[in-house]
Amino acid sequence: MSLDWIYYAISWILLAWHGAWDAIGVPDAAVIGTNWAWILAIVFLVVTVRVILFPVFVKQIKSQRAMQALQPQVKALQEKHKGDRETLQKEMMELYRKEKANPLMGCLPMVLQIPVFLGLFHVLRRLDPGKSESGKTLYGWTVGQFESASAAKLFTAPIAGKFGSTADELAALNANGTTVKVIAGILVLLMMGTTYLTSRQMILKTGWAEDPQQRMIQKLMLYGIPLSLLISGAIFPIGVIIYWVINNLSTLAQQQWVLRKFPPPPSATSKPGTSPRSPVQPAKTGGLLGRAKPAPQAPAKPAAPKVAGPKPGAKPVNPKKGRPAKRQG
């Protein structure tokens, strides 16, 4: 299946935003070693994609709420079918189908952004000033736009360069290898950090899932994906990493807004294996790093007054004294 339609779509959005910033008056020449019209075009490519995918993001939040509401039933099934994994999976799938909950919905926004990422990766990887004129005009580009993008830089590092660029690729882009590695390395670390924080923010607010399959997905998104970027980030063009970092920052802001507007139920757990909170206990309100103010302690009940014992040498009190005498029958 040809992916040309993706390359045309990404190119059209990128060129449209670059043309808009150029029309506004953002200089196409480098300022502080950066061609801001092209950097802003990448930033607003992110904005465009986020606006398009916003309804999907809301569905993701609603699906996670439905999964949380089902946690007591899931836990009951786990206790009922302990040791029978096959029956447990069948029962849980039936429960999800009946309640119209999808445990894989949490990955849907990321999955839908994969074509955008691949399209931008392909488009920026092609930015080679040495290409023929026919190669420069693919996907709706003009020769002038192609040459302008090929020369575009972020702090003197070409947006088409990458940490693993060869000497020939750097020479074609007229780039300094050390500068490209430093800028790309910093961006890769930012990409890893913001990817981790987006997953952690969601888990802090919604809690760890009781369903083993859902919890495995959470752990993969929290730890697996950021670690994989340490290696794969070496082949990403700088422009693609800029897209990823800006996309993560917009995700953090969007998640914060949605989670404030639609707060998770107070029964969400904070860590795997912990028991759910009491319905009257407020949910944890820590930041991205999980820090929270200590909850105010309830005032202690006043102790009962102590009864003083008899003084040494005092005459014992007869408890029967003063009671009315019983009548003789």
Side-chain angles (χ1 to χ4, degrees):
M1 179 181 176
S2 175
L3 297 178
D4 283 357
W5 67 274
I6 296 177
Y7 306 147
Y8 274 102
I10 297 301
S11 295
W12 185 86
I13 297 173
L14 198 63
L15 294 174
W17 278 114
H18 176 263
W21 293 114
D22 187 46
I24 290 173
V26 176
D28 204 38
V31 178
I32 320 177
T34 303
N35 299 87
W36 294 106
W38 284 108
I39 301 301
L40 288 172
I42 294 174
V43 170
F44 278 80
L45 170 63
V46 175
V47 173
T48 304
V49 173
R50 299 300 301 189
V51 170
I52 293 172
L53 294 182
F54 184 75
V56 179
F57 182 79
V58 173
K59 285 184 178 181
Q60 175 197 21
I61 297 295
K62 289 182 178 179
S63 177
Q64 289 174 333
R65 295 292 183 271
M67 292 295 298
Q68 286 178 296
L70 293 176
Q71 290 309 304
Q73 298 179 56
V74 170
K75 197 168 184 180
L77 287 175
Q78 290 172 340
E79 292 294 330
K80 181 179 178 181
H81 302 291
K82 188 180 294 184
D84 189 352
R85 188 173 184 83
E86 184 178 352
T87 304
L88 174 62
Q89 289 297 327
K90 287 181 181 178
E91 291 287 339
M92 288 201 303
M93 289 300 103
E94 178 62 23
L95 176 64
Y96 295 152
R97 186 195 62 78
K98 182 180 177 182
E99 300 295 335
K100 297 180 180 180
N102 188 352
L104 301 179
M105 181 61 74
C107 298
L108 185 59
M110 181 178 291
V111 171
L112 292 179
Q113 289 200 61
I114 290 176
V116 180
F117 174 81
L118 293 176
L120 185 61
F121 178 85
H122 178 77
V123 167
L124 294 184
R125 190 179 58 176
R126 293 184 61 257
L127 295 179
D128 178 2
K131 282 187 177 295
S132 63
E133 184 172 335
S134 60
K136 293 177 181 179
T137 55
L138 280 176
Y139 312 131
W141 292 67
T142 66
V143 173
Q145 289 170 333
F146 187 92
E147 291 177 348
S148 174
S150 299
K153 294 178 173 59
L154 174 68
F155 302 122
T156 72
I159 62 173
K162 51 186 180 291
F163 189 90
S165 291
T166 64
D168 291 340
E169 290 171 338
L170 293 171
L173 294 170
N174 192 26
N176 180 278
T178 302
T179 302
V180 170
K181 280 182 168 52
V182 169
I183 298 298
I186 292 172
L187 287 172
V188 167
L189 293 177
L190 287 173
M191 178 172 61
M192 293 173 62
T194 52
T195 300
Y196 171 80
L197 289 176
T198 54
S199 297
R200 181 170 177 79
Q201 181 190 56
M202 184 64 73
I203 293 173
L204 281 175
K205 296 294 183 180
T206 61
W208 288 90
E210 293 286 344
D211 177 16
Q213 181 183 7
Q214 185 76 357
R215 188 184 300 173
M216 182 179 68
I217 293 173
Q218 287 179 319
K219 288 183 177 180
L220 174 64
M221 296 183 69
L222 183 62
Y223 302 114
I225 294 178
L227 287 175
S228 69
L229 295 176
L230 184 62
I231 299 173
S232 58
I235 65 172
F236 295 161
I238 286 175
V240 172
I241 305 177
I242 294 171
Y243 172 89
W244 195 308
V245 171
I246 298 300
N247 182 65
N248 285 345
L249 293 175
S250 65
T251 299
L252 284 169
Q254 197 174 67
Q255 283 182 173
Q256 187 69 16
W257 180 82
V258 172
L259 291 170
R260 284 182 181 276
K261 190 172 181 63
F262 306 104
S267 59
T269 55
S270 58
K271 293 181 181 179
T274 58
S275 58
R277 292 186 178 98
S278 167
V280 299
Q281 183 179 353
K284 187 175 181 180
T285 57
L288 293 181
L289 300 180
R291 296 177 182 175
K293 295 180 180 179
Q297 296 181 353
K301 294 181 179 180
K306 295 182 179 180
V307 179
K311 295 181 180 180
K315 186 177 180 181
V317 179
N318 186 359
K320 296 182 179 180
K321 187 176 181 181
R323 292 182 183 177
K326 292 183 181 181
R327 296 181 179 180
Q328 297 292 332

